[in-house]
């Protein structure tokens, strides 16, 4: 692979992580300021519930593609084959099943976002439209499906490559 492609991929990954860190920091900061304002000054932030709800929805989906791509998600190794073609087949089948689940979740979220868009669904206090948030979650779920598909292709091309988590177990 060309060096510029690796550099670009690394830069995009760093940017993606920075956006996720900003989402988490925004939740923590907004919640802290809201609680301090509520209890010490008797002046909560107007619409903080709506903002935190939107940020939490985005944050819940944001890190899933990277966790899936690097196989750092929670896994149960109850029926894990230790070596050979059965282990590779099992890994490929699990990744394909995960890819299908992520695509199904993405499609369902896309349909829900379309319904929200048609109904002009908005948050209660601030009137923030919900459709863009759900569209973003649908797109991130599609990225998660792509991450699982990438894992399948890497397992097929390089059968000896397994994640550190799988080797440790």
């Amino acid at each position: 692979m060309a060096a510029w492609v690796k550099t670009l991929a690394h830069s995009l990954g760093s940017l993606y992580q920075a956006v996720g860190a900003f989402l988490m920091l925004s939740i923590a900061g907004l919640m802290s300021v809201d609680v301090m304002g509520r209890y010490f000054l008797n002046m909560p932030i107007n619409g903080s519930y709506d903002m935190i709800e939107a940020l939490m929805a985005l944050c819940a989906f944001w890190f899933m593609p990277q966790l899936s791509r690097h196989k750092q998600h929670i896994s149960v190794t109850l029926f894990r084959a230790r070596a050979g073609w059965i282990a590779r087949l099992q890994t490929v089948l699990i990744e394909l099943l995960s890819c299908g689940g992520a695509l199904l979740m993405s499609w369902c979220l896309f349909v829900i976002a379309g319904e929200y868009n048609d109904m002009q669904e908005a948050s209660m206090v601030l009137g923030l439209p919900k459709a863009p948030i759900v569209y973003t979650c649908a797109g991130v779920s599609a990225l998660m499906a792509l991450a699982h598909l990438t894992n399948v292709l890497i397992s097929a091309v390089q059968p000896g490559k397994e994640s550190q988590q799988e080797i440790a177990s």
Side-chain angles (χ1 to χ4, degrees):
M1 189 181 317
W4 68 271
V5 175
K6 287 183 180 180
T7 303
L8 179 66
H10 180 70
S11 298
L12 288 175
S14 297
L15 178 65
Y16 194 84
Q17 287 178 346
V19 170
F22 176 74
L23 289 172
M24 292 177 67
L25 186 63
S26 298
I27 292 171
L30 181 62
M31 195 175 293
S32 298
V33 170
D34 183 51
V35 168
M36 284 190 283
R38 182 180 311 267
Y39 290 111
F40 297 127
L41 303 174
N42 202 20
M43 293 177 54
I45 296 175
N46 188 28
S48 64
Y49 178 80
D50 290 348
M51 290 185 278
I52 291 172
E53 179 183 43
L55 288 169
M56 283 200 142
L58 290 172
C59 204
F61 282 88
W62 194 258
F63 291 106
M64 287 196 299
Q66 281 194 327
L67 291 173
S68 297
R69 171 61 191 95
H70 297 291
K71 297 182 181 181
Q72 293 176 339
H73 46 74
I74 297 172
S75 61
V76 178
T77 57
L78 186 62
F79 299 108
R80 180 80 177 135
R82 290 288 175 201
W85 66 272
I86 294 175
R88 286 194 301 273
L89 177 66
Q90 188 177 25
T91 300
V92 168
L93 289 176
I94 289 170
E95 291 290 344
L96 284 173
L97 184 64
S98 298
C99 178
L103 282 174
L104 179 65
M105 183 169 49
S106 178
W107 175 72
C108 289
L109 285 169
F110 188 77
V111 169
I112 291 169
E115 291 173 0
Y116 280 179
N117 195 30
D118 291 343
M119 295 184 303
Q120 299 296 313
E121 185 76 24
S123 63
M124 295 295 277
V125 178
L126 295 178
L128 296 173
K130 290 185 177 182
I133 296 165
V134 181
Y135 276 128
T136 303
C137 292
V140 172
S141 295
L143 282 177
M144 183 174 58
L146 183 64
H148 284 294
L149 187 60
T150 303
N151 288 342
V152 169
L153 296 175
I154 288 173
S155 295
V157 173
Q158 300 171 344
K161 288 255 181 169
E162 297 202 14
S163 71
Q164 295 298 325
Q165 182 181 13
E166 290 176 3
I167 292 171
S169 61

